[in-house]
Amino acid sequence: MGNVDGYNNLGLLYLQLEDYQQAKQALLQALESDHVYAQHNLAVAYHRLGELEAAERWYLISFSQHGNLQSLENLGHVYGESGREVEGKALVAASDKLYEDQPLNDYEQSLIDRLLA
């Protein structure tokens, strides 16, 4: 019926069913209506499809616009899968530290600053 929550929930259902193409389509519909979780969920669909560049883009958007720490952690995993292991591990660690309200080290902070620039 065009309900933005419906599209997001449908996308989540397809993610659970491991039908990532259908998830991507439903989440793109949710995204058109600016659903707050659609960016992260769409990134998950791209990530599971192995479309790492698209996953990276949507995780970054979700983190920068909404401060979604799960998106930051997942972005670290995408970095690791893309051959940027050092940066990836640092982003995962930064996500954990931010969640626990702990200070970041200089390298982690520089990565976050660069992502948000």
Side-chain angles (χ1 to χ4, degrees):
M1 306 286 297
N3 181 297
V4 65
D5 288 324
Y7 284 125
N8 187 66
N9 291 340
L10 184 61
L12 290 173
L13 176 64
Y14 282 127
L15 283 174
Q16 287 183 333
L17 295 172
E18 298 181 4
D19 188 342
Y20 305 124
Q21 281 292 59
Q22 289 292 341
K24 183 170 81 170
Q25 294 308 313
L27 293 165
L28 284 168
Q29 289 290 331
L31 188 64
E32 287 180 15
S33 301
D34 295 322
H35 192 281
V36 68
Y37 298 118
Q39 296 159 334
H40 173 80
N41 295 335
L42 181 61
V44 170
Y46 279 120
H47 195 174
R48 292 189 181 160
L49 284 166
E51 297 178 30
L52 298 182
E53 287 181 23
E56 179 179 337
R57 176 175 178 252
W58 288 108
Y59 283 138
L60 179 56
I61 290 169
S62 177
F63 173 66
S64 64
Q65 290 185 359
H66 304 290
N68 187 328
L69 294 178
Q70 185 62 58
S71 291
L72 180 62
E73 179 179 334
N74 290 7
L75 180 62
H77 294 298
V78 168
Y79 273 31
E81 292 169 34
S82 300
R84 298 175 280 179
E85 291 86 10
V86 173
E87 289 176 310
K89 288 179 182 179
L91 289 179
V92 171
S95 172
D96 292 343
K97 287 179 181 179
L98 290 170
Y99 181 76
E100 296 172 1
D101 202 26
Q102 295 179 358
L104 304 179
N105 65 36
D106 290 340
Y107 180 66
E108 294 161 346
Q109 186 62 57
S110 70
L111 282 174
I112 299 295
D113 291 344
R114 189 175 56 183
L115 289 174
L116 297 177

